[in-house]
Amino acid sequence: MLTALSALAVAGVTAVGGITTAVIGRRQPRGQRRRDDFTAVTDRMEREITRQGERIDELEAETERDRERITAQDFAIRYLAGWARSLVGYMRAQHLEPPPPPQPVPDEVQPYLHDLTP
């Protein structure tokens, strides 16, 4: 009888050990999965940061192109305004009256044409 009880105790300890091993073994893949999720999220964040950095570089280049274009347009407008002013001056020197502007100048344009008014 003692042998049967000791065999039962050994079987119980073995069963508890098997259950413990199964529980611990089951938990490890979840922990590994969490680490894999963290790696995936980190990789995705790195790709997004890289993409946003490239987009910022593109926007900065586009802004620089726009700034250069606006500067060139400003120069062209100032050149044409000076040319129109010299033509008006030439006509007045010849005692001719220059023609009136074809239409009223819009209010939005007035601040930029300060050197056109006689």
Side-chain angles (χ1 to χ4, degrees):
M1 172 108 162
L2 188 60
T3 308
L5 285 177
S6 67
L8 185 62
V10 169
V13 169
T14 304
V16 169
I19 292 172
T20 304
T21 303
V23 169
I24 290 173
R26 185 169 174 246
R27 285 187 182 172
Q28 274 183 333
R30 265 190 262 162
Q32 181 65 36
R33 195 176 324 132
R34 285 190 195 123
R35 272 184 263 144
D36 291 344
D37 290 346
F38 178 76
T39 304
V41 168
T42 304
D43 292 343
R44 194 174 325 138
M45 286 175 55
E46 286 176 5
R47 284 194 306 269
E48 183 65 22
I49 289 170
T50 303
R51 188 188 68 77
Q52 287 182 356
E54 291 170 355
R55 180 68 177 142
I56 288 172
D57 292 342
E58 290 173 6
L59 289 174
E60 287 175 349
E62 184 179 330
T63 301
E64 186 60 32
R65 283 192 306 271
D66 289 347
R67 189 175 292 126
E68 290 171 359
R69 183 176 49 84
I70 289 170
T71 301
Q73 289 172 347
D74 180 51
F75 180 76
I77 289 171
R78 289 185 185 277
Y79 171 76
L80 291 173
W83 186 54
R85 189 173 54 248
S86 69
L87 286 175
V88 169
Y90 177 76
M91 291 180 77
R92 287 196 176 141
Q94 298 296 323
H95 300 293
L96 298 171
E97 189 60 34
Q103 59 185 356
V105 179
D107 293 334
E108 295 86 11
V109 179
Q110 284 290 343
Y112 304 106
L113 298 179
H114 53 81
D115 55 351
L116 268 182
T117 55

